[in-house]
Amino acid sequence: MRTRPAPANGLVVLVLATLAAGCQPSPSTPPSVPTSEPTATAPSPTEIANARRFRQDFGLRADDAWLIAVATDPDADRLTYGVPLTASEVAELGRRTMALEALKPVVIGYASTQPDYAGSYVDNVRGGVLVVQFSGRLDLHRSAIFANVRPGARLEVRQVRWSVADLEQFSSRLVGGEAWFRTIPAYLAGYGPNIMANRVEVEISSADPSAPAKIKAHYGWTDEVVIVTSDGTGVLLLPKGTLRITALDAQGRPVAGLACVAISDLAGAQEPRPVPMPTTGRDGVCEFEVAATGYAIQLERGEAPPVIVGTGSAVVTKGTTSRVTIRLK
């Protein structure tokens, strides 16, 4: 999925980085349960949710009892992937990475040169199966690929309707279409090929429940071509204003280097932690453009985790600068 309006290649590139990052190859070991005495600190709901999401994405055990057992195991690996994992789970993900890296040069090297190539992805739910797709000549491609990989490779060659070139052509019709989307009204938040679904995916912000149907009718697309997802609120259509936050210490002196976190009262109106993060300057001020609505504001010191040192609130109105001064705790 690409963000509007850059004509990049979206999800065409094989997604392997998540598995590869931070993982050192290690031999696979049989699944095991934590055997150490649990730690006294129970995981927070957010930590449990993050661990569950990761495990479901990668096809690892994710029931509540297991999540808590691993999270409270002092010997669990918490660094390699950012969530608690047993040694055997880390080894399993490492095995997948090694197997996929061995397949890439041969499989993707061949597939990406074919005009009917329809993209590749890793099915982690099935244990790291490399799925390679084509829109035609499947028998030819399957023979060419399997003749050059070892028997038993975790690999699937699949036929789909649209090639990458087809999906890119569909997507290109959206370039410069922002003005038309506003007539729905809708905000075009992002678009691009969804390789796994073999369709174009369009993300919009709109309060009109018929907006997806209007988009399909306008471009002459069916459900076989496009997936349109809407936030259902139209929050990204809100007019903009400026939020100016001043941080002062107990003596009224400006405080520099604090992260300015603005949490909107409308979901999706403002990313509270954008990159780069707004921070106070030498004058204690940070200023940025946001949607015209209400905000809860937090000033944070950049520690791990961040420490909230001041709070406030503001209502931003269209085309004006809303000012709030926060004295540190």
Side-chain angles (χ1 to χ4, degrees):
M1 185 73 173
R2 76 172 67 120
T3 55
R4 179 191 58 84
N9 288 331
L11 292 180
V12 173
V13 178
L14 175 66
V15 181
L16 291 170
T18 304
L19 266 180
C23 181
Q24 297 299 321
S26 56
S28 179
T29 57
S32 61
V33 298
T35 57
S36 303
E37 289 295 323
T39 60
T41 304
S44 70
T46 299
E47 291 169 334
I48 288 291
N50 290 339
R52 189 191 313 279
R53 187 180 306 111
F54 178 91
R55 288 172 169 278
Q56 290 173 339
D57 286 346
F58 287 93
L60 300 176
R61 182 176 171 182
D63 58 275
D64 288 345
W66 182 255
L67 286 169
I68 294 173
V70 178
T72 55
D73 177 12
D75 292 330
D77 183 321
R78 292 168 171 77
L79 298 178
T80 305
Y81 293 98
V83 298
L85 299 173
T86 66
S88 62
E89 289 171 336
V90 173
E92 164 60 17
L93 295 182
R95 181 201 62 76
R96 295 185 194 178
T97 298
M98 294 174 65
L100 290 167
E101 290 299 325
L103 285 175
K104 279 197 301 181
V106 174
V107 177
I108 307 304
Y110 165 83
S112 60
T113 65
Q114 305 305 308
D116 55 348
Y117 177 52
S120 306
Y121 64 92
V122 178
D123 187 342
N124 282 301
V125 175
R126 290 193 289 157
V129 175
L130 175 58
V131 180
V132 187
Q133 302 179 145
F134 297 92
S135 62
R137 304 184 299 166
L138 190 65
D139 290 341
L140 171 66
H141 297 313
R142 182 180 284 119
S143 297
I145 289 173
F146 279 100
N148 291 287
V149 300
R150 62 173 177 77
R154 299 188 66 77
L155 173 67
E156 179 184 352
V157 180
R158 177 184 297 175
Q159 185 152 27
V160 293
R161 180 165 184 179
W162 309 112
S163 68
V164 167
D166 293 331
L167 295 177
E168 287 289 348
Q169 184 176 23
F170 291 139
S171 298
S172 69
R173 296 183 59 194
L174 295 162
V175 176
E178 293 83 4
W180 177 82
F181 273 78
R182 288 183 178 273
T183 67
I184 295 178
Y187 180 87
L188 179 57
Y191 60 88
N194 181 323
I195 295 302
M196 293 180 67
N198 192 236
R199 286 179 284 178
V200 173
E201 185 167 359
V202 179
E203 293 182 355
I204 63 170
S205 178
S206 177
D208 182 355
S210 67
K214 291 177 179 177
I215 293 167
K216 293 172 188 176
H218 178 76
Y219 288 98
W221 290 340
T222 66
D223 290 340
E224 293 182 333
V225 175
V226 66
I227 303 169
V228 182
T229 58
S230 173
D231 62 9
T233 66
V235 69
L236 295 182
L237 291 168
L238 289 173
K240 303 290 186 180
T242 300
L243 178 58
R244 180 183 174 90
I245 302 167
T246 302
L248 303 177
D249 64 15
Q251 287 73 43
R253 296 171 299 194
V255 181
L258 299 179
C260 298
V261 180
I263 304 169
S264 169
D265 57 9
L266 293 177
Q270 159 73 11
E271 167 54 52
R273 300 179 183 277
V275 177
M277 189 73 185
T279 57
T280 55
R282 296 179 61 182
D283 58 356
V285 172
C286 62
E287 183 175 292
F288 45 98
E289 187 179 66
V290 292
T293 187
Y295 293 88
I297 301 167
Q298 296 176 178
L299 295 177
E300 298 179 353
R301 293 195 188 279
E303 302 175 13
V307 175
I308 299 173
V309 296
T311 60
S313 62
V315 175
V316 176
T317 55
K318 175 183 176 181
T320 65
T321 298
S322 300
R323 296 173 172 82
V324 58
T325 298
I326 300 176
R327 290 188 178 271
L328 273 57
K329 297 179 180 178

